[in-house]
Amino acid sequence: MAEVFLPKGMRDLLPAQMIPRLAVIDTVRGVFRRFGFEPLETPAMERIETLMGKYGDEGDKLIFRVLKRGEGGERGEVDQALRYDLTVPLARVVAMNPALPMPFRRYQIQPVWRADRPQKGRFREFTQCDVDICGSESPLCEAECLAVASAALTELGFRDFTIRLNDRRILAAMAAAIGAPDRLMSMVTAIDKLDKIGEDGVRKELAQHGFAEDAADSLFAMLNGGHIPGIEAEDAGLDVIISHAQALGVPAGRVVKDRMLARGLDYYTGPVYEIVVTEPKIGSIAGGGRYDELIGMFSGRSVPAVGVSLGLERIFVVMEELGMLGAAASATEVFVTRFAESTLTETLQAAAALRAAGVATSLSLEGGKLGKQLKQADKLGARWALVVGPDEAKQGLVQLKDLRGGGQESLSLAEAIARVQQAR
RNA sequence: GUGGGUGUAGCUCAGUUGGUUAGAGCGCCAGGUUGUGGCCCUGGAGGUCACGGGUUCAAUUCCCGUCAUUCACCCCA
């Protein structure tokens, strides 16, 4: 075997993967459009200072850095980086384009890169499908995000998924209530593991981070529904989001408030959410939240914003494992065989006519034995094969062979085209 | 960044308690005569047993390292 390797955590997408993938992307894009979001694309790279300091320490470490060109690169200097998500580039775009009509609703489906160690459902290059709304503080924004994500997943065939909902300010209030407002993140990462390591495990981890036992006690009391001082407004806000989302079509019960939901990225300021499936253990397939300060970090002009991001690769892993994809169809509908030199012109004209009629048509380039050509068509996964030999050419007909069912018949070209079109 | 698994034919994997010519299934190629795939039959090609070092009379098999890959942790889509 050849001694060549892909970059770690990156993959080729062969036709068998691309065909269902494009179908999924088409579905998602269609839902985004239906919800009134506008398309946007941004460059693969950003300036390093655009990305740094937005995601937190963990995130910053995982940014793929690009060396300066020329002498600076030789000295190891970095001035650019591959984008880590689609949210920060969007914030940069909004900051640079003050003329954009607000609120600005955009969708963006593009790859992002993270220098993570790959594992199941995790890659170094993966595609995010984002929708965001910039310029509005209304809780309708959150509701729209939940509704569009829910609709996209539903249209893809997902039935069993849950949206966990929380608010960063509720977490902050809990940290304050146990006297550790400065250690919000270590508290959050500890409780985030509750379903994995249990209450005892979390208590142990909290102790390691220097939380006193009575602090842990009151923390668990709050997590289990106890009173958290000063979060009445935020808590009510979550209920408003839920009721708006339901009115927008999200089934009741799909959105659940969850005081343990943390979300690691630094830029979130208010409500946060993520979408999880129970079946394959894959983490979240979507996540998002409100980030009212991010755009202001670029322009000084504060612009509130909310978004949600669907992880295409994870959605794919789930769909594969749950058998939601169905058989991969070939891109080719008709394979035109090349029978004899004397009828090559008629053969090529037949291919041209099929293509003009919108039929995906491939063509035997090398010719050779008819049996071999049919085998090639079969392996390709083509539905039909077309033969134009001397017998057919004499009568002005073509031979259309059904590679799935079996039979074949002599038809005029127009009849053959009609047959192919009505069979799909 | 941390910890574990794996690396034998194009693919999925057997196997050698260290010992002459390393196997299977699938795939591939050719054939089963004249213009027909999927099934069947026959024949064939294809492997430095990841790479480097060590132990040994002898290593694909044991040990170490490197590389690759995979799973988990962290974090995340």
Side-chain angles (χ1 to χ4, degrees), chain A residues 25 62 77 87 115 121 141 144 148 167 176 190 211 226 259 279-280 291-293 312 320 331 341 373 377-378 385 418:
Chain A
I25 291 174
L62 300 181
E77 289 170 29
T87 303
C141 300
E144 283 273 75
V148 70
D167 192 305
F211 289 90
R259 285 180 177 177
E279 259 307 291
Y291 48 96
D292 285 347
E293 314 297 333
L312 194 61
E320 260 169 14
E341 208 55 31
Q373 294 185 46
D378 188 49

Side-chain angles (χ1 to χ4, degrees), chain A residues 12-25 316 328-329:
Chain A
D12 291 320
L13 299 168
L14 297 176
Q17 285 106 49
M18 276 308 289
I19 289 166
R21 183 185 175 90
L22 288 174
V24 168
I25 291 174
F316 239 89

Side-chain angles (χ1 to χ4, degrees), chain A residues 64-77:
Chain A
F64 267 108
R65 296 141 175 277
V66 177
L67 286 178
K68 260 180 127 162
R69 279 63 55 202
E71 266 181 45
E74 284 160 30
R75 281 184 259 117
E77 289 170 29

Side-chain angles (χ1 to χ4, degrees), chain A residues 340-351:
Chain A
E341 208 55 31
S342 60
T343 55
L344 182 56
T345 301
E346 288 87 340
T347 300
L348 298 183
Q349 286 168 345

Side-chain angles (χ1 to χ4, degrees), chain A residues 1-217:
Chain A
M1 81 184 78
E3 287 295 314
V4 289
F5 304 99
L6 284 124
K8 186 190 287 298
M10 302 191 182
R11 304 164 308 152
D12 291 320
L13 299 168
L14 297 176
Q17 285 106 49
M18 276 308 289
I19 289 166
R21 183 185 175 90
L22 288 174
V24 168
I25 291 174
D26 280 351
T27 299
V28 170
R29 182 186 290 120
V31 174
F32 287 177
R33 282 199 47 197
R34 204 198 303 154
F35 274 74
F37 289 89
E38 308 283 339
L40 175 77
E41 289 202 355
T42 65
M45 289 196 282
E46 294 284 345
R47 316 214 69 179
I48 185 74
E49 61 270 21
T50 300
L51 302 184
M52 292 300 288
K54 311 299 190 296
Y55 305 107
D57 292 342
E58 287 289 335
D60 285 355
K61 276 185 226 159
L62 300 181
I63 293 171
F64 267 108
R65 296 141 175 277
V66 177
L67 286 178
K68 260 180 127 162
R69 279 63 55 202
E71 266 181 45
E74 284 160 30
R75 281 184 259 117
E77 289 170 29
V78 167
D79 63 340
Q80 299 183 356
L82 293 173
R83 62 168 170 252
Y84 178 91
D85 69 358
L86 302 179
T87 303
V88 170
L90 168 68
R92 196 215 77 227
V93 166
V94 171
M96 287 176 69
N97 294 274
L100 280 171
M102 289 288 142
F104 177 53
R105 306 162 66 102
R106 82 90 176 77
Y107 75 83
Q108 186 170 357
I109 301 174
Q110 286 195 279
V112 302
W113 294 268
R114 297 184 186 177
D116 228 339
R117 287 275 282 266
Q119 57 182 283
K120 182 173 181 178
R122 155 180 285 175
F123 305 94
R124 287 185 157 192
E125 177 180 57
F126 62 97
T127 296
Q128 292 195 320
C129 310
D130 276 35
V131 299
D132 291 81
I133 303 172
C134 303
S136 171
E137 291 180 325
S138 168
L140 259 180
C141 300
E142 282 89 339
E144 283 273 75
C145 289
L146 299 185
V148 70
S150 179
L153 290 171
T154 300
E155 188 147 328
L156 288 173
F158 282 77
R159 293 292 171 272
D160 185 22
F161 62 91
T162 304
I163 302 176
R164 306 168 66 200
L165 177 66
N166 199 8
D167 192 305
R168 267 294 170 81
R169 292 164 295 185
I170 292 177
L171 292 164
M174 284 196 279
I178 62 171
D182 53 325
R183 279 179 291 164
L184 172 64
M185 283 319 286
S186 57
M187 180 197 84
V188 153
T189 54
I191 63 177
D192 196 41
K193 295 178 204 165
L194 186 61
D195 51 346
K196 261 181 201 160
I197 61 179
E199 181 169 334
D200 290 346
V202 173
R203 281 177 179 276
K204 215 168 284 177
E205 177 150 340
L206 286 170
Q208 280 169 10
H209 285 282
F211 289 90
E213 202 168 323
D214 60 332
D217 287 341

Side-chain angles (χ1 to χ4, degrees), chain A residues 254-275:
Chain A
R254 172 159 291 162
V255 186
V256 295
K257 288 198 283 185
D258 185 342
R259 285 180 177 177
M260 275 154 238
L261 174 69
R263 312 243 76 226
L265 302 182
D266 267 11
Y267 52 60
Y268 292 121
T269 55
V272 290
Y273 33 83
E274 67 180 30
I275 300 180

